[in-house]
Amino acid sequence: MSNFSASINRLVDLVALAGSGILSLVWARVALSWFSNDITKKIQAKDRARDALIGTLLFMAAVTGLLYGLAHWVLTGS
Amino acid sequence: MPIPSVDLGDLVRTLLFLLFAGLTAIITAVIGPTYDNLLVPELQPSALFPPLLGSGSGGVNYLSTGARFSGYVLTNVVDPAVTLVALGVAVLYLSRSVVSRWADALDGLLPRLIIGVVGANFTVPIAGAIIGVAGGLYPIISGWDGGAWQHWVNLAGWGQVPFSWDNGALAFVLSLVEFAAVFVLVLAVGIRDAVLAVLLVLLPIFTLLWPLHPLSPLARRGWLLFGELAFLPCVLVVPLELAVGSPNPVMLVAYLAVAVASPFFLSLAGTSLVSFGFGGASGVVQSNAQRGLQVAPSAAASSFAPAANGIRTSSPAGGAFAGVTRVAGSAAAPAAAPLVVGELIGHGAWQLLRHVGPSHGKNGPSAQPPMLKGGAK
C-alpha cells in the first residue's frame, strides 16, 4: 500500500511540475491577449482567462490536497 | 394349448423403450436434484439479493464482502487517485485555454470531474439502491403461480414416460439437452453473482476515470452491466415459470434455451454480457451467420445504389426504389424483408396522401401546377 501511495505521490509531483510550466505559459498568453491591441484577441482573452482560472483553481485544489481531503472526509467523516 | 405368437417388431420396440427409458430415467434422476437443490436455491431472493451493508439477517455474503472490499479500494486507491485525476483535468483545462480548437472536445470537464468524484465515493449506496429495486421486483415476478417453477417435477412431469414410449432415442437426447441447459443456468447464475461482486469493487475506479474521455466507456459500460445483471433474474425466471406443465420435452427445452439466452436478450439493451461468459447458443450464430446475412443486403445495396440514385430524381417511384435499397442495405437479411415492405407501404401511403390530401377548394392553393394564361393549348 505504501508503494502505491509513493508512486501516486511521485506521479502527482511530476504532473504538478509539468502543470506549473503550462500554468505560467497559459497565464502569459492570456495576459498578452488581454493587453493586445487586436480587438479579436481581446475578445478571445475573456474565454481563455475563464478556462485558465478554472484550471488554476483545480490545479491548486489538487496539489494542496484539498480535493483528496474533501473526498476522504465524505468517505470516512474524519 | 396354442403358444401365442410374438411380433418381432413389438419385441424390439419394447426392448428399445426399456433401454432408452432407463437412460432417460437416469438423466432425469440427475436433473431433478440439480434443478431443485442447486438452481432453485440460487434463484431464491435472499440468495440473489443479499443485504449489501452490514451483516443483516444473512450474515456474511458475497455482496457484503464485495462492499467491504470496495470501501477498502475506495479509501486506499480511489481517493488518493482523485488528486491525479483532478490534476489531469486541470491540465486539460489549461491546454484548452491555449489551443482553442480543443475547446469543444474538452467541454464540461469540470462537472464531469465533480460527478465522477462524488459518484466514486457513493458507489456502494448507489449499487445498493439498484440491488434494492431489483430485489423488490424479483419476488413479485418469481412468486407468480405460487412458485410452481421451483420443482422440476412440475416442469417435466414424472420421467417423461409418455413421450419416451413413442420417441425413445429422442427423449433420451432431449433429456441430455435439458440437463445441459439446467447446468448452464446454474453456472450462469453463479457467474452473475460473481460478476456483481467484482463490479462492486471495480466500479469506484471506473467511475473516477469517467471524466477522462478515452476512459469514460469503462464507467458507462460497467454501470450498465451492473444494472443488467441486477435485473437479470427477473428476466431469467419468466421462461422457467412458463415452462411449468410443458406439453412435451421439446417445448421444455425451448423454454430452458430462452432462459439460458436471457442474458443475451438483456445485452440487446446496449451492453455486451457475451464477453463475460454469458454467450449461450447464440454466440456462434451471431458471429458467423449474422455476419454473412449482413453482407448480402449490403452488397445488394451497393449494387443497386447507382441505379437507385439515377432513378431517384426522375419520378416518385424512383424515390421509393432508392429508399427501399437504402433500407434493405442497412439491415440484416431477416430484418430487411419487413423493413422493405414497410418502406414501400409508407412511401405508397405518402404518395397517396399527396394526391388525395385535403381539398384546398376555393381558399387554399392548388397542388396542380398553374396553367398558362389562356388555358391549355
Side-chain angles (χ1 to χ4, degrees):
Chain A
M1 197 189 300
S2 58
N3 281 343
F4 177 75
S5 300
S7 60
I8 286 280
N9 286 335
R10 214 174 301 130
L11 272 175
V12 167
D13 289 346
L14 279 174
V15 180
L17 270 175
S20 306
I22 296 174
L23 205 65
S24 53
L25 280 175
V26 165
W27 279 112
R29 179 156 185 192
V30 168
L32 282 174
S33 302
W34 194 276
F35 296 109
S36 168
N37 290 325
D38 190 348
I39 195 76
T40 316
K41 283 188 177 175
K42 268 182 179 291
I43 293 168
Q44 284 177 349
K46 197 178 164 187
D47 286 338
R48 283 180 177 164
R50 189 199 60 206
D51 287 342
L53 188 66
I54 293 173
T56 307
L57 288 175
L58 260 177
F59 189 81
M60 297 309 289
V63 168
T64 56
L66 185 69
L67 275 175
Y68 169 71
L70 199 65
H72 196 72
W73 175 74
V74 167
L75 192 67
T76 62
S78 62
Chain B
M1 187 176 169
I3 300 170
S5 63
V6 179
D7 186 6
L8 192 62
D10 277 348
L11 184 66
V12 171
R13 195 177 175 191
T14 306
L15 286 174
L16 283 175
F17 165 75
L18 288 174
L19 174 68
F20 286 116
L23 290 171
T24 307
I26 290 169
I27 293 178
T28 307
V30 179
I31 301 177
T34 308
Y35 186 88
D36 287 2
N37 301 334
L38 274 178
L39 183 63
V40 172
E42 267 190 334
L43 287 175
Q44 291 304 309
S46 57
L48 287 170
F49 307 100
L52 212 66
L53 297 170
S55 58
S57 56
V60 176
N61 56 68
Y62 66 94
L63 279 187
S64 68
T65 310
R68 278 192 287 114
F69 192 5
S70 181
Y72 173 80
V73 168
L74 201 56
T75 312
N76 296 302
V77 177
V78 174
D79 277 353
V82 166
T83 307
L84 203 59
V85 175
L87 267 180
V89 171
V91 169
L92 285 174
Y93 253 104
L94 294 172
S95 311
R96 169 186 157 153
S97 171
V98 178
V99 186
S100 52
R101 68 170 183 276
W102 290 1
D104 289 336
L106 303 177
D107 209 17
L109 268 178
L110 189 60
R112 285 170 74 93
L113 175 69
I114 294 169
I115 293 171
V117 171
V118 173
N121 280 283
F122 285 93
T123 297
V124 173
I126 295 169
I130 294 171
I131 292 280
V133 173
L137 177 66
Y138 177 72
I140 300 170
I141 293 177
S142 67
W144 181 75
D145 202 17
W149 63 274
Q150 297 180 10
H151 302 287
W152 179 251
V153 174
N154 294 339
L155 272 70
W158 290 103
Q160 303 171 352
V161 173
F163 191 76
S164 293
W165 175 250
D166 292 330
N167 308 276
L170 182 61
F172 171 63
V173 172
L174 286 173
S175 301
L176 265 179
V177 175
E178 284 169 10
F179 174 72
V182 169
F183 194 69
V184 169
L185 275 177
V186 170
L187 280 180
V189 176
I191 291 173
R192 174 254 182 201
D193 295 348
V195 173
L196 270 185
V198 170
L199 277 178
L200 207 55
V201 177
L202 292 180
L203 274 177
I205 301 174
F206 290 171
T207 310
L208 183 67
L209 295 176
W210 180 65
L212 305 173
H213 272 292
L215 302 173
S216 60
L218 278 176
R220 201 171 53 245
R221 289 179 188 173
W223 277 108
L224 198 58
L225 181 64
F226 188 88
E228 288 185 358
L229 287 176
F231 285 94
L232 174 64
C234 303
V235 180
L236 191 146
V237 79
V238 172
L240 295 182
E241 291 181 306
L242 293 175
V244 171
S246 298
N248 57 56
V250 179
M251 201 63 190
L252 178 57
V253 166
Y255 277 126
L256 288 174
V258 172
V260 170
S262 55
F264 175 73
F265 293 146
L266 267 178
S267 75
L268 291 178
T271 188
S272 175
L273 299 181
V274 176
S275 53
F276 287 86
F278 287 106
S282 57
V284 178
V285 178
Q286 186 193 8
S287 61
N288 295 317
Q290 192 176 12
R291 185 161 174 241
L293 291 172
Q294 276 178 339
V295 167
S298 302
S302 60
S303 304
F304 283 116
N309 289 334
I311 301 169
R312 182 201 295 270
T313 49
S314 62
S315 67
F321 178 65
V324 163
T325 55
R326 190 185 66 247
V327 168
S330 64
L339 284 175
V340 164
V341 174
E343 176 79 7
L344 276 173
I345 291 172
H347 201 88
W350 182 70
Q351 287 294 335
L352 192 65
L353 279 174
R354 278 186 63 189
H355 287 289
V356 176
S359 172
H360 295 300
K362 47 193 173 189
N363 297 327
S366 169
Q368 300 295 326
M371 293 179 73
L372 295 170
K373 278 182 183 174
K377 302 273 165 106

